[in-house]
Amino acid sequence: MMYQRAPSDITETSLRGRILSGFAMTTMATLFLFETKAFVSKDIATSLALANSNSNQRIQLNFNITMMDLPCNYATVDVYSTVGFQKNITKDVKKFEVSEDGVLQQYEARNWHQDDVELWDPAVVETVEDLHNDGEDAISLNNDTFPYAKEEFPFLFVKFYTSDCPNCDDFAPTWEALGEIVTDASMHMVDDFMEAKGMDNHHYSDEEYEQAVNVMAPVLVTRLDCGAYPDVCKEQQIRAYPTTRLFVDGKAAGDYDGHRTVMELVHWLGHMEAEHREPGQLKMNNIFKYASERAVRNEEERIWNDALMSYRAPSPFFNTTRH
């Protein structure tokens, strides 16, 4: 069988053809490499979805809407989905009464973002450096001493903070003052015990005296830098700074989120002590005495604190709320 010879313009190469062929081969090789890289590489993505409509599962959504001229009982909330589904969720919404200035009228649901919560104690006028002149009373913990402190001290109060947190810096003198008050009160308790037993000042060595103070102390006030020891804070699920957490018998008993003043902290510690100790083992009343002398700003506030304690309960250990 005979075939016709192909024209020479088809079989002969040209510069333009070589350029187009080289460009096509380069493009295909580039696409192959990018696709292969995308196939073997890893990509981490995070998403939130409600997988099913089980009525026992809930997602908490926090929102803050203040309507000054609308009573709470007239406020309703509806939820709309992208496909047009509508549901009224008013029954699941917690409402809190506010004043005409937008300030919560009850202690529940307060947080440090509100301007009516004190972020430090104005009664503590010294700086942290001034308070450290006679030693650090709020003990600094690390990876090793934190587990030891939880195991050895029944009541452990820890402030989790970072060195680059402005609120932590503002709160630092108040926290150190609290540690100083607990130490001073514990020393007086040891001195009173020694006097009652007829012991002189040389009965204990300095180390034994310090141990006796720690035993007498109703709570050990400490601090832990999450910037230096992030693993501890990750384990404790610390998500905000400063976080003040009380450990009772090695277990987290609660986080303090009220006024960051010495008196409020002492009131809260007394309340927690009443929940976890027997009546005959309560020690915070001794701390309150020295805290009142150290941190109450004026006579009017002193009278107010005394009256509020007597009014709220027979036990003097309850949170107070200033306005």
Side-chain angles (χ1 to χ4, degrees):
M1 183 179 292
M2 301 298 293
Y3 294 95
Q4 185 179 0
R5 183 184 293 274
S8 60
D9 58 345
I10 296 178
T11 59
E12 293 180 359
T13 61
S14 65
L15 178 60
R16 179 182 298 178
R18 289 196 297 269
I19 293 175
L20 290 175
S21 298
F23 177 76
M25 293 180 62
T26 303
T27 302
M28 288 187 292
T30 303
L31 291 175
F32 175 79
L33 290 175
F34 276 108
E35 288 296 326
T36 304
K37 180 181 179 182
F39 178 76
V40 300
S41 62
K42 297 180 180 179
D43 185 20
I44 299 176
T46 302
S47 63
L48 175 65
L50 189 61
N52 56 59
S53 58
N54 188 342
S55 60
N56 294 326
Q57 294 187 352
R58 294 288 187 270
I59 293 179
Q60 178 177 333
L61 299 177
N62 298 323
F63 57 90
N64 184 3
I65 303 174
T66 302
M67 293 168 285
M68 305 307 299
D69 298 323
L70 179 67
C72 284
N73 55 317
Y74 293 124
T76 62
V77 180
D78 291 337
V79 174
Y80 295 84
S81 69
T82 56
V83 296
F85 175 77
Q86 176 186 359
K87 182 178 181 180
N88 185 281
I89 60 169
T90 305
K91 64 181 180 64
D92 297 321
V93 176
K94 297 188 69 175
K95 303 174 184 178
F96 304 97
E97 182 182 358
V98 298
S99 69
E100 60 183 8
D101 298 319
V103 178
L104 285 172
Q105 296 302 288
Q106 49 188 331
Y107 193 80
E108 185 179 6
R110 290 190 173 186
N111 59 73
W112 67 272
H113 294 287
Q114 296 173 224
D115 57 8
D116 64 322
V117 175
E118 297 184 55
L119 303 183
W120 65 87
D121 195 337
V124 181
V125 296
E126 302 93 333
T127 64
V128 173
E129 291 73 18
D130 294 336
L131 293 169
H132 285 173
N133 285 336
D134 57 349
E136 297 184 12
D137 294 288
I139 301 172
S140 179
L141 300 178
N142 55 38
N143 287 331
D144 298 324
T145 56
F146 175 67
Y148 172 81
K150 286 199 303 178
E151 181 179 352
E152 292 296 322
F153 295 92
F155 269 59
L156 178 69
F157 206 13
V158 185
K159 180 188 73 170
F160 296 94
Y161 72 101
T162 60
S163 57
D164 57 353
C165 165
N167 285 334
C168 300
D169 294 337
D170 294 336
F171 185 44
T174 302
W175 190 255
E176 181 64 25
L178 175 65
E180 186 177 276
I181 289 170
V182 171
T183 300
D184 291 345
S186 303
M187 292 175 63
H188 281 87
M189 293 166 63
V190 173
D191 293 342
D192 292 342
F193 175 81
M194 292 175 61
E195 183 178 355
K197 296 296 183 179
M199 303 176 182
D200 57 27
N201 295 333
H202 303 289
H203 185 84
Y204 290 130
S205 65
D206 292 342
E207 182 178 353
E208 291 173 337
Y209 183 82
E210 183 177 352
Q211 292 176 353
V213 170
N214 290 334
V215 171
M216 283 292 188
V219 61
L220 184 66
V221 180
T222 64
R223 54 191 174 91
L224 191 145
D225 187 351
C226 290
Y229 309 104
D231 292 340
V232 177
C233 298
K234 182 178 180 180
E235 179 185 353
Q236 294 298 318
Q237 299 182 347
I238 303 300
R239 297 184 176 89
Y241 306 110
T243 293
T244 51
R245 179 168 296 173
L246 179 67
F247 294 87
V248 178
D249 296 328
K251 298 180 180 179
D255 293 352
Y256 177 78
D257 57 3
H259 290 300
R260 295 176 188 166
T261 62
V262 171
M263 292 305 302
E264 297 286 349
L265 289 163
V266 171
H267 279 303
W268 184 78
L269 286 172
H271 175 73
M272 297 299 290
E273 182 187 46
E275 287 187 358
H276 294 89
R277 280 178 172 159
E278 298 296 329
Q281 300 176 339
L282 301 181
K283 302 179 181 179
M284 285 304 299
N285 57 327
N286 298 295
I287 306 299
F288 179 79
K289 173 185 175 182
Y290 292 98
S292 299
E293 297 174 354
R294 173 70 168 76
V296 172
R297 284 170 266 185
N298 51 53
E299 185 63 25
E300 180 181 358
E301 188 179 47
R302 188 187 306 277
I303 296 174
W304 164 254
N305 274 281
D306 292 343
L308 188 61
M309 287 170 54
S310 301
Y311 170 76
R312 287 194 169 183
S315 173
F317 310 123
F318 284 87
N319 269 330
T320 60
T321 303
R322 296 193 191 94
H323 295 284

